[in-house]
């Protein structure tokens, strides 16, 4: 396989607080290859956003500590000076965020905000930047782009603002687009529009995408490979098919089981994961998911490593044997369907 | 009552899913918000048609789901039913009494039986009050017993919603989102209400916690015989909890139907589009499904489109849709109403769910890697 | 936008009218107070009293009384101060206004520039020792009484060092710009600094807090993610939005000062401005002057308020009327 475009190696991010050290990201290693879409799935506090914000070096909290490497095109982003990382932000790697309502500056016209980014990275005239901004707005599906470029963000709907954000993100032809919960704040119909727009841009420009989400439906639709995060670590990582049709980690089973699915008969009860995620200040010894796991046993007191336990390149961090997993999995994900089976 | 009226009443009730007696009846309910403007004296220049002529009926013990995009009026409707808003016109009968014109004083007695759960468990709990005080507030306001009795009731409620007695003296910020929503639920059911209106109660919660809270609401309904109006934008969640579902678009109910039937056989093109936009956590199904991407945004409720309000975004729209507003009439089985000039028939649907994929041959999670 | 400005201006007129009515009632219709006696100064002769009564039309209906009063203030401008040898009040205020305007304008320029420099520097240097040092300086400025700073300044510039380092400082008082621009400037340097110190402290602290708050906004994160420099993020994105708060504060303070609020500074430095006039009038219980100054001051505050609203709409497109 070719060298990865973006290679995160043993990234650790922690925050000093009055109550102790919060280990937000605890040794994450994951790679992104050219043209692919990597989904990072996890719940709030799992460290998925902190991971990508650290890649962009966007965490400004003076209490944050970083360790590990992020290799982009052969250089370690973590060791770069402010000026060097700036030349990559928005040009090589760009980002769109969850809430389009607050992610654009309310006092500037949207066209201007796109031009600003273009002119930061390329020496072009105002007029050229302007024309490009209008082109981009048209490309992301904003009608009357030339006029709308002179409108302020509040004059757009949420979906349209997310389109503007996307236009801005791709304005300098980035190699990597990081989308942090890009559709969470939007309605289903608008979510469908935005996701198909991202797919189209991915096709047209060959941009690799890192998609952060808590929604298994979104990665089922978009991702080529998926990493599942829990309490600051990746607990399972594999191709889309592996994750959905052969999930190895009980937490992944829990995520899949707790969804009220429209494509299956209605179960009497949803399979909830009991309890709460652990505090990132006092992670339990051993497997972080252990306390909530119905299948825990002796060995779970040792921290399980993220290893290729199936021999197919599909990584997971669970001590259960392949056979054990096979035996309990279906019941764990959708017990009622299993019971109905003759 | 004329024959026609009887028939109509029957339709609305939907006897197929009818449970107890009629608890709530909304009739031509309207809520307009005035928009004011003027140089010195502000006068009304326009109106937001937030809820525009909504009629439905709710039986005791039933759960009615409300779905629709943001701005469709579902939250406004919920707040009108809870009488947190004044109603512009129409009637709202709760247990046989028209509460649409009740004064605040008269409403106090009704509030006992009619409670709300809100979306944001962070914002809807007073951060300066202890959990015990938050849950006991409604009990004290309605003088539901002595101090001791109230305390015992609070402990009971905490247990009921899955929190422990030691939580009684803590503050909301010491809890996680899911636990806070449990506190909100405990507060809402403290007075043993008859109707609980849940406005996006799980939208702010993580997936795994979401399932916990939904199961809790389910259990409480069984134990306490609650009636729910359940609002959510997650169609999967709504289908899971609801007996009947009403789909709203721009202030109107465009389709109302028994839950399972709505998903199997949507009649209104808008429902079809909504369902089609839902993502399924199954890559193969996701790839094979034909998706109808609904173009554009919801139009402004200040100046809604003529005729059928959905016509500018509808792929089946014709002349009649711009001219005439379609009435809400029966389609398919009893209790399944839709307002559309071009109702979808079962055969033409692109989106009949590939439900029940499970058979003895096809395992749930086939090891499909070859 | 134009209708917004027209509407705002009309409102200003309405508010001004209400203020004059309220002032009129306070001075003329407070129960148990004989306005003629109050207006006629200390120990008036029966003659004066009768004269005042006739002038004010105290035996005529209320509306006429109000009308007469307003006519004397705004049209004929012949409201007389009885405690001050029949001085005409309105021309006196107008004569005092340039001194006040000079003082407040100069101070405002200093305090805006300094507050922005200090606030931005503190926000930029957050987490380092300079931030708390700047903020403690600001707090000192905020807490130091104007009359004390003024006196100290006078002591230094007019006292021991007057013949050496500060020989360029003219004696206390105000020299009109038209008489000598140089003396106008040198005479105002220390009053400007004195008056601005309080406001520098206050504005720098408010601005810093506001900047830090805005730095956590999502759109500032977006600006960083675009690859903009810290400098540009701070100036074009953070500071620009902070100006919305800044301007609304400034308008009100500026209006109050121009309207006669710089009493202490004017008195300490012997600048015969509107504040000084107010101080004198208060000492002599010179009610006609006090009344006129109150209306004059209210006028500036209301005017600045209107300007702030218009500036607000200009700065923040979200409140800009469509």
């Amino acid at each position: 396989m070719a060298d990865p475009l973006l290679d995160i190696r043993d990234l650790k991010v922690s925050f000093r607080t009055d109550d102790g050290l919060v280990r937000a990201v605890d040794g994450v290693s994951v790679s992104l290859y050219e043209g692919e879409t990597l989904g990072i799935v996890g719940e709030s506090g799992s460290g998925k956003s902190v991971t990508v914000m650290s890649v962009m070096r966007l965490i400004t909290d003076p209490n944050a500590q970083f360790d590990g490497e992020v290799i982009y095109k052969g250089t370690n982003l973590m060791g770069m000076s402010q000026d060097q990382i700036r030349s990559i932000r928005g040009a090589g790697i760009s980002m769109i965020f969850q809430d389009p309502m607050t992610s654009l500056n309310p006092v500037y016209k949207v066209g201007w905000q796109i031009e600003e980014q273009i002119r930061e990275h390329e020496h072009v005239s105002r007029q050229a930047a302007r024309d490009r901004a209008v082109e981009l707005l048209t490309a992301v599906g904003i009608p009357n782009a030339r006029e709308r470029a002179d409108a302020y963000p509040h004059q757009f709907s949420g979906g349209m603002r997310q389109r503007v954000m996307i236009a801005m993100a791709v304005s300098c032809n980035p190699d990597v687009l990081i989308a942090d919960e890009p559709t969470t704040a939007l309605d289903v119909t608008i979510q469908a529009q935005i996701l198909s727009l991202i797919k189209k841009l991915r096709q047209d420009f060959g941009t690799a995408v890192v998609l952060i989400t808590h929604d298994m439906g979104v990665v089922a639709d978009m991702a080529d490979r998926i990493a599942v995060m829990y309490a600051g670590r990746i607990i399972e990582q594999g191709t889309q098919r592996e994750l959905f049709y052969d999930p190895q980690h009980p937490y992944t089973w829990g995520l899949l089981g707790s969804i009220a699915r429209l494509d299956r008969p209605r179960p009497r009860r949803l399979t909830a994961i009991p309890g709460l995620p652990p505090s990132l200040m006092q992670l339990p010894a051993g497997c972080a998911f252990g306390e909530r796991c119905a299948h825990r046993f002796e060995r779970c007191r040792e921290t399980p490593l993220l290893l290729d336990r199936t021999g197919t390149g599909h990584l997971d961090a669970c001590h259960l044997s392949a056979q054990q997993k096979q035996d309990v999995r279906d019941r764990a994900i959708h017990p009622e369907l299993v019971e109905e089976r003759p | 009552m004329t024959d026609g009226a009887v028939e109509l009443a029957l339709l609305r009730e939907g006897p197929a899913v009818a449970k107890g007696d009629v608890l709530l009846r909304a009739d031509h309910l309207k809520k307009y918000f005035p928009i004011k403007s003027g140089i010195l004296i502000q006068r009304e220049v326009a109106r937001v048609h937030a809820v525009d002529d909504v009629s439905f009926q709710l039986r005791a013990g039933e759960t009615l789901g409300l779905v629709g995009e943001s701005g469709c009026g579902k939250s406004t409707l919920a707040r009108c039913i809870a009488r947190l808003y004044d109603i512009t016109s129409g009637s709202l009968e709760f247990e046989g009494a028209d509460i649409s014109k009740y004064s605040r004083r008269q409403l106090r007695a009704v509030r006992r039986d009619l409670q709300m759960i809100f979306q944001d468990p962070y914002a809807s709990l007073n951060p300066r009050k202890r959990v015990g005080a938050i849950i006991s507030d409604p009990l004290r306001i309605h003088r539901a017993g002595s101090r001791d009795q109230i305390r015992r009731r609070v402990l009971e409620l905490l247990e009921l919603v899955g929190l422990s007695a030691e939580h009684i003296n803590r503050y909301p910020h010491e809890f996680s989102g899911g636990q806070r929503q449990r506190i909100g639920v405990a507060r809402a059911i403290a007075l043993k209400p008859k109707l609980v209106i849940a406005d996006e109660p799980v939208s702010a919660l993580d997936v795994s916690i979401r399932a916990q809270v939904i199961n809790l609401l389910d259990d409480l309904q069984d134990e306490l015989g609650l009636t729910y109006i359940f609002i959510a934008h997650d169609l999967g969640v709504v289908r899971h909890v609801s007996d009947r579902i009403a789909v709203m678009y721009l202030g109107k109910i465009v389709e109302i139907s028994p839950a399972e039937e709505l998903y199997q056989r949507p009649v209104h093109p808008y429902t079809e589009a909504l369902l089609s936009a839902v993502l399924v956590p199954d890559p193969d199904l996701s790839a094979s499904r034909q998706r109808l991407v609904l173009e554009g945004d919801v139009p402004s409720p200040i100046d809604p489109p003529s005729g059928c309000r959905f016509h500018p975004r509808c792929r089946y729209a014709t002349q009649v849709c711009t001219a005439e507003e379609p009435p809400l009439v029966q389609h398919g089985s009893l209790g399944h109403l839709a307002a559309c000039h071009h109702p979808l028939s079962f055969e033409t649907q692109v989106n009949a769910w590939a439900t029940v994929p499970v058979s003895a041959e096809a395992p749930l999670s086939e090891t499909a890697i070859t | 936008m134009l209708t917004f400005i027209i509407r705002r201006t009309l409102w200003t007129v309405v508010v001004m009218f209400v203020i004059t009515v309220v002032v009129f009632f306070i001075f003329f219709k407070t129960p148990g107070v004989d306005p003629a006696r109050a207006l006629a100064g200390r120990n008036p002769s029966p003659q004066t009293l009768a004269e005042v009564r006739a002038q004010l039309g105290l035996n005529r209906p209320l509306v006429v009384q109000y009308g007469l009063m307003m006519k004397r203030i705004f049209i004929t401008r012949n409201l007389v101060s009885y405690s001050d040898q029949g001085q005409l009040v309105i021309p006196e205020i107008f004569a005092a206004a340039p001194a006040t305007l000079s003082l407040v304008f100069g101070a405002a320029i200093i305090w805006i520039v300094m507050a922005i420099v200090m606030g931005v520097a503190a926000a930029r240097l957050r987490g380092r020792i300079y931030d708390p040092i700047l903020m403690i300086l600001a707090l000192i400025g905020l807490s130091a009484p104007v009359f004390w700073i003024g006196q100290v300044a006078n002591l230094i510039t007019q006292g021991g060092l007057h013949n050496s380092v500060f020989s360029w400082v003219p004696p206390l008082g105000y020299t009109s710009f038209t008489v000598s621009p140089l003396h106008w400037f040198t005479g105002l340097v220390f009053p400007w600094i004195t008056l601005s110190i309080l406001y520098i402290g206050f504005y720098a602290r408010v601005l810093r807090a506001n900047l830090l708050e805005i730095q956590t906004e999502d759109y500032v994160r977006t600006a960083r993610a675009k690859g903009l420099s810290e400098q540009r993020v701070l100036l074009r994105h953070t500071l620009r939005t902070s100006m919305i708060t800044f301007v609304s504060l400034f308008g009100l303070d500026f209006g109050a000062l121009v309207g006669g609020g710089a009493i202490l500074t004017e008195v300490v430095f012997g600048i015969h401005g509107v504040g000084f006039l107010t101080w004198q009038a208060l000492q002599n219980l010179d009610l006609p002057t006090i009344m006129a100054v109150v209306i004059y001051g209210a006028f500036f505050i209301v005017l600045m308020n209107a300007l702030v609203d218009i500036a607000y709409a200009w700065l923040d497109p979200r409140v800009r009327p469509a």
Side-chain angles (χ1 to χ4, degrees):
Chain A
M1 211 182 255
D3 279 348
L5 190 57
L6 189 70
D7 196 11
I8 302 174
R9 295 180 187 163
D10 200 24
L11 180 72
K12 290 181 180 157
V13 185
S14 51
F15 297 90
R16 286 187 301 261
T17 69
D18 293 340
D19 304 317
L21 199 64
V22 175
R23 292 176 205 282
V25 177
D26 197 13
V28 161
S29 300
V30 67
S31 317
L32 175 75
Y33 294 90
E34 229 158 271
E36 76 166 348
T37 299
L38 171 71
I40 301 183
V41 181
E43 298 180 88
S44 39
S46 63
K48 55 192 195 305
S49 278
V50 176
T51 303
V52 292
M53 294 287 278
S54 306
V55 169
M56 292 281 273
R57 297 261 309 274
L58 279 175
I59 295 175
T60 50
D61 188 335
N63 293 310
Q65 296 170 326
F66 302 90
D67 194 25
E69 292 182 328
V70 177
I71 310 294
Y72 168 69
K73 288 187 168 171
T75 349
N76 182 10
L77 298 182
M78 302 308 277
M80 278 188 173
S81 72
Q82 272 299 322
D83 279 345
Q84 286 172 311
I85 189 78
R86 279 210 294 117
S87 67
I88 289 181
R89 278 185 204 150
I93 308 176
S94 62
M95 201 163 171
I96 53 179
F97 301 97
Q98 173 171 354
D99 193 348
M101 305 313 260
T102 56
S103 292
L104 289 163
N105 193 324
V107 304
Y108 293 115
K109 295 169 178 169
V110 297
W112 186 90
Q113 298 193 44
I114 298 173
E115 286 163 41
E116 189 188 27
Q117 175 161 355
I118 297 171
R119 281 163 60 82
E120 180 70 40
H121 295 289
E122 291 167 34
H123 294 284
V124 293
S125 69
R126 254 215 92 170
Q127 191 53 48
R130 174 87 189 166
D131 291 343
R132 179 108 136 261
V134 172
E135 240 169 69
L136 285 160
L137 288 172
T138 314
V140 297
I142 306 253
N144 305 327
R146 194 157 285 281
E147 287 157 44
R148 296 296 276 162
D150 279 327
Y152 291 95
H154 72 273
Q155 294 165 320
F156 289 83
S157 68
M160 285 294 161
R161 284 189 223 189
Q162 197 61 298
R163 285 173 193 265
V164 172
M165 279 299 289
I166 293 171
M168 196 154 82
V170 299
S171 62
C172 299
N173 293 318
D175 303 311
V176 180
L177 174 68
I178 299 176
D180 188 358
E181 303 263 13
T183 57
T184 305
L186 304 172
D187 279 314
V188 272
T189 55
I190 311 297
Q191 164 170 292
Q193 295 175 2
I194 296 295
L195 291 181
S196 59
L197 173 63
I198 295 178
K199 276 186 196 162
K200 180 175 161 282
L201 292 173
R202 187 177 62 185
Q203 242 163 34
D204 295 355
F205 299 101
T207 318
V209 178
V210 180
L211 184 70
I212 311 289
T213 181
H214 66 273
D215 188 337
M216 292 303 267
V218 172
V219 284
D221 186 41
M222 302 282 293
D224 299 312
R225 285 190 309 123
I226 298 169
V228 182
M229 285 189 74
Y230 186 78
R233 297 182 194 142
I234 293 178
I235 51 96
E236 182 162 4
Q237 184 185 323
T239 64
Q240 185 192 52
R241 297 196 66 81
E242 286 168 341
L243 251 292
F244 279 97
Y245 299 121
D246 187 24
Q248 295 293 311
H249 198 285
Y251 176 65
T252 315
W253 305 344
L255 279 184
L256 287 168
S258 56
I259 307 167
R261 296 174 68 149
L262 281 181
D263 57 329
R264 299 253 170 97
R266 166 153 83 171
R268 203 162 23 79
R269 287 174 72 76
L270 293 175
T271 347
I273 303 174
L276 298 170
S279 156
L280 295 174
M281 253 176 277
Q282 299 148 335
L283 281 179
C287 176
F289 186 61
E291 285 176 22
R292 302 174 75 186
C293 182
H295 316 289
R296 105 181 133 251
F297 64 117
E298 251 3 48
R299 267 195 77 191
C300 298
R301 268 181 264 158
E302 298 165 34
T303 307
L305 298 174
L306 185 67
L307 297 173
D308 181 358
R309 292 165 203 264
T310 55
T312 57
H314 177 179
L315 313 178
D316 73 274
C318 177
H319 289 307
L320 290 174
S321 72
Q323 191 54 51
Q324 284 169 310
K325 285 172 184 165
Q326 202 68 240
D327 291 345
V328 292
R329 182 169 62 197
D330 284 357
R331 183 174 295 272
I333 299 177
H334 214 325
E336 298 197 331
L337 287 185
V338 179
E339 279 155 25
E340 277 167 21
R341 231 184 286 179
Chain B
M1 214 186 240
T2 65
D3 283 354
V6 173
E7 195 184 347
L8 192 65
L10 254 171
L11 288 178
R12 292 211 177 118
E13 282 173 28
V17 286
K19 292 192 171 178
D21 296 332
V22 174
L23 182 67
L24 184 83
R25 189 199 309 264
D27 216 9
H28 300 293
L29 206 64
K30 289 182 185 168
K31 175 66 189 173
Y32 297 159
F33 294 100
I35 295 173
K36 292 184 173 167
S37 176
I39 290 198
L40 276 182
I41 290 135
Q42 303 271 300
R43 69 208 148 74
E44 189 181 304
V45 291
R47 291 164 154 197
V48 178
H49 300 69
V51 173
D52 204 359
D53 200 2
V54 162
S55 304
F56 67 92
Q57 206 153 227
L58 189 62
R59 287 179 171 276
E62 177 182 30
T63 300
L64 175 71
L66 275 182
V67 297
E69 289 168 282
S70 41
C72 71
K74 55 191 195 297
S75 282
T76 308
L77 177 59
R79 283 170 160 75
C80 285
I81 295 168
R83 282 302 319 277
L84 298 176
Y85 286 154
D86 284 331
I87 290 165
T88 307
S89 77
S91 74
L92 182 67
E93 272 176 41
F94 183 67
E95 295 197 287
D98 186 353
I99 63 167
S100 64
K101 304 281 183 305
Y102 269 24
S103 66
R104 294 181 70 144
R105 280 237 334 255
Q106 289 172 299
L107 278 172
R108 274 188 59 174
V110 180
R111 291 260 152 80
R112 254 191 109 107
D113 292 328
L114 207 164
Q115 289 283 327
M116 243 185 123
I117 301 172
F118 297 94
Q119 167 172 6
D120 191 350
Y122 299 82
S124 59
L125 302 177
N126 185 337
R128 281 176 207 85
K129 281 191 170 177
R130 290 175 200 275
V131 168
I134 290 172
I135 300 175
S136 62
D137 265 353
L139 294 166
R140 273 203 302 272
I141 290 165
H142 289 275
R143 301 197 185 82
S146 67
R147 275 190 65 164
D148 244 30
Q149 285 171 315
I150 288 180
R151 196 185 151 75
R152 245 176 292 138
R153 176 84 181 125
V154 169
L155 291 173
E156 216 178 279
L157 285 163
L158 280 174
E159 201 194 317
L160 203 57
V161 299
L163 295 170
S164 69
E166 68 192 56
H167 289 136
I168 196 165
N169 281 325
R170 300 223 192 131
Y171 290 96
H173 73 262
E174 298 175 61
F175 293 88
S176 69
Q179 287 174 314
R180 271 183 252 212
Q181 197 55 289
R182 287 172 191 269
I183 299 168
V185 171
R187 176 180 60 181
I189 61 168
L191 289 161
K192 299 185 180 157
K194 298 199 170 85
L195 175 62
V196 174
I197 302 167
D199 187 0
E200 303 268 9
V202 295
S203 306
L205 306 177
D206 271 319
V207 204
S208 70
I209 310 296
R210 195 177 285 183
Q212 291 177 11
V213 174
I214 290 170
N215 286 341
L216 169 68
L217 290 171
D218 252 356
D219 295 344
L220 290 174
Q221 180 164 42
D222 292 346
E223 280 169 50
L224 308 174
L226 298 173
T227 307
Y228 287 135
I229 291 179
F230 194 101
I231 301 172
H233 62 259
D234 183 330
L235 290 139
V237 168
V238 172
R239 169 200 183 226
H240 182 80
V241 299
S242 308
D243 299 309
R244 280 195 304 150
I245 295 171
V247 182
M248 285 187 75
Y249 188 76
L250 273 178
K252 290 192 178 291
I253 291 182
V254 295
E255 183 162 5
I256 183 165
S257 153
E260 218 39 53
E261 181 161 319
L262 185 86
Y263 287 91
Q264 300 296 339
R265 279 205 53 196
V267 168
H268 200 284
Y270 178 62
T271 312
E272 179 194 38
L274 266 188
L275 288 172
S276 149
V278 174
L279 296 168
V280 287
D282 182 334
D284 287 344
L285 185 55
S286 184
S288 65
R289 273 176 73 212
Q290 190 184 340
R291 296 263 288 280
L292 308 168
V293 172
L294 205 50
E295 295 300 327
D297 291 308
V298 183
S300 159
I302 296 169
D303 189 16
S306 65
C308 172
R309 291 186 176 186
F310 184 59
H311 83 256
R313 297 172 83 190
C314 182
R315 56 201 200 113
Y316 308 105
T318 57
Q319 193 57 44
V320 64
C321 303
T322 55
E324 255 175 71
E325 191 182 325
L328 196 60
V329 293
Q330 185 186 335
H331 290 275
S333 71
L334 218 53
H336 189 165
L337 313 186
C340 181
H341 292 301
H342 306 291
L344 304 170
S345 64
F346 195 59
E347 295 75 41
T348 62
Q349 275 172 40
V350 293
N351 196 44
W353 282 94
T355 307
V356 201
V358 192
S359 65
E361 296 83 21
L364 276 179
S365 47
E366 54 193 348
T367 324
I369 303 109
T370 43
Chain C
M1 192 71 191
L2 193 66
T3 53
F4 173 74
I5 293 174
I6 293 171
R7 185 167 75 203
R8 200 61 196 78
T9 316
L10 280 176
W11 262 115
T12 310
V13 173
V14 172
V15 171
M16 272 315 295
F17 169 73
V18 172
I19 287 172
T20 57
V21 171
V22 170
V23 169
F24 172 78
F25 269 86
I26 289 173
F27 282 86
F28 283 75
K29 290 295 154 206
T30 311
V33 175
D34 177 0
R37 186 168 278 281
L39 283 172
R42 278 180 190 152
N43 307 318
S45 64
Q47 249 159 310
T48 320
L49 267 181
E51 199 182 312
V52 171
R53 285 220 169 84
Q55 271 189 356
L56 297 178
L58 284 184
N59 42 4
R60 299 166 74 180
L62 206 57
V63 184
V64 179
Q65 287 181 35
Y66 170 80
L68 278 176
M69 194 67 212
M70 291 307 122
K71 187 179 150 208
R72 300 175 120 264
I73 292 180
F74 291 110
I75 299 164
T76 54
R77 299 180 168 196
N78 57 355
L79 184 66
V80 178
S81 160
Y82 295 93
S83 55
D84 196 11
Q85 292 100 40
Q87 180 82 36
L88 288 179
V89 173
I90 308 301
E92 203 181 3
I93 293 179
F94 274 85
T100 300
L101 283 173
S102 301
L103 172 68
V104 176
F105 258 111
I109 290 168
I110 297 177
W111 101 54
I112 289 175
V113 171
M114 287 303 294
I116 290 180
V117 168
M118 277 176 74
V120 169
R124 185 82 175 79
L125 298 171
R126 197 186 171 212
R128 296 206 228 157
I129 187 71
Y130 305 106
D131 171 26
I133 289 178
L134 279 169
M135 283 304 105
I136 287 169
L137 277 177
L139 189 63
I140 292 172
L142 187 59
S143 345
V146 168
F147 55 86
W148 179 79
I149 297 179
Q151 293 290 18
V152 170
N154 279 341
L155 208 64
I156 295 170
T157 60
Q158 303 292 335
L161 298 172
H162 188 56
N163 293 323
S164 49
V165 191
F166 292 112
S167 56
W168 52 273
V169 180
L172 293 184
Y174 170 76
T175 316
S176 168
F177 188 80
T178 51
V179 173
S180 159
L182 182 69
H183 278 173
W184 171 84
F185 182 80
T186 49
L188 279 170
V189 167
F190 284 96
W192 282 338
I193 293 173
T194 306
L195 180 60
S196 59
I197 281 177
L198 161 80
Y199 291 96
I200 293 172
F202 180 61
Y203 279 67
R205 290 180 69 90
V206 169
L207 183 61
R208 172 185 174 273
N210 203 247
L211 287 173
L212 291 182
E213 193 189 310
I214 290 173
Q215 273 182 3
T216 64
E217 293 280 347
D218 288 350
Y219 58 80
V220 174
R221 182 184 59 187
T222 306
R224 284 209 182 88
K226 283 158 82 171
L228 306 182
S229 67
E230 274 308 300
Q231 219 76 339
R232 192 177 169 93
V233 171
L234 187 66
L235 297 179
R236 292 307 292 266
H237 289 269
T238 319
L239 186 63
R240 170 66 175 74
T241 353
S242 280
M243 282 300 118
I244 296 169
T245 322
F246 198 84
V247 163
S248 53
L249 269 180
F250 173 75
L252 297 183
D253 282 335
F254 187 79
L257 286 179
V258 173
I263 297 184
L264 291 174
T265 316
E266 290 186 8
V267 171
V268 169
F269 289 100
I271 296 169
H272 289 239
V274 181
F276 195 87
L277 198 66
T278 315
W279 178 68
Q280 275 183 327
L282 285 170
Q283 281 194 321
N284 301 328
L285 267 179
D286 182 357
L287 282 182
T289 308
I290 295 177
M291 188 168 69
V293 167
V294 166
I295 291 176
Y296 166 87
F299 171 73
F300 271 100
I301 293 173
V302 172
L303 178 74
M304 285 310 293
N305 227 323
L307 288 179
V308 162
D309 277 0
I310 292 166
Y312 209 88
W314 174 65
L315 281 170
D316 189 347
R318 283 167 298 181
V319 302
R320 206 174 290 172

